[in-house]
Amino acid sequence: MTDTTAPGVRSLFSAEGRLPTIPRKAARREQLLAHLAGTLFEPDRSYSEHEVNETLRTVHDDYPALRRFLVEAGHLVRPKDGSSYRRAA
């Protein structure tokens, strides 16, 4: 996490840089998802599901939930066959 991380997002992470829980409140979760998409995934790059999983696993053990939330919120996009993921523009 960089020093430019918003204080509200920074408070969601432990001292080790891990996310103990995924926020239940939609506004807090959206803040987190925007932060994760912007810091973990490069624009204009395609990622395999395995790469997305491994990247998200670095911050939280329930990486499938994070991946699903990122897709549902429109931060990551994927084709219908789920073959790849990209950060939304």
Side-chain angles (χ1 to χ4, degrees), residues 1 6 8 12 20 28 32-34 57 64 68 72-73 76 82-84 89:
M1 213 168 352
L12 297 173
R28 294 287 281 163
L32 170 69
L33 297 174
R57 190 188 314 250
R68 183 177 64 252
E72 288 173 355
L76 290 181
S83 60
S84 64

Side-chain angles (χ1 to χ4, degrees), residues 59 70-71 79 84:
V59 294
L70 284 163
V71 170
S84 64

Side-chain angles (χ1 to χ4, degrees), residues 54-70:
E54 290 304 307
T55 300
L56 294 173
R57 190 188 314 250
T58 66
V59 294
H60 190 64
D61 291 334
D62 192 358
Y63 58 89
L66 284 177
R67 186 186 66 234
R68 183 177 64 252
F69 287 138
L70 284 163

Side-chain angles (χ1 to χ4, degrees), residues 6 15 25-27 39 72 83 87 89:
K25 290 186 177 182
T39 58
E72 288 173 355
S83 60
R87 188 171 107 185

Side-chain angles (χ1 to χ4, degrees), residues 36-54:
L36 293 177
T39 58
L40 298 177
F41 301 99
E42 298 173 28
D44 302 321
R45 179 173 172 225
S46 182
Y47 294 86
S48 69
E49 184 169 326
H50 178 75
E51 289 174 307
V52 171
N53 291 346
E54 290 304 307

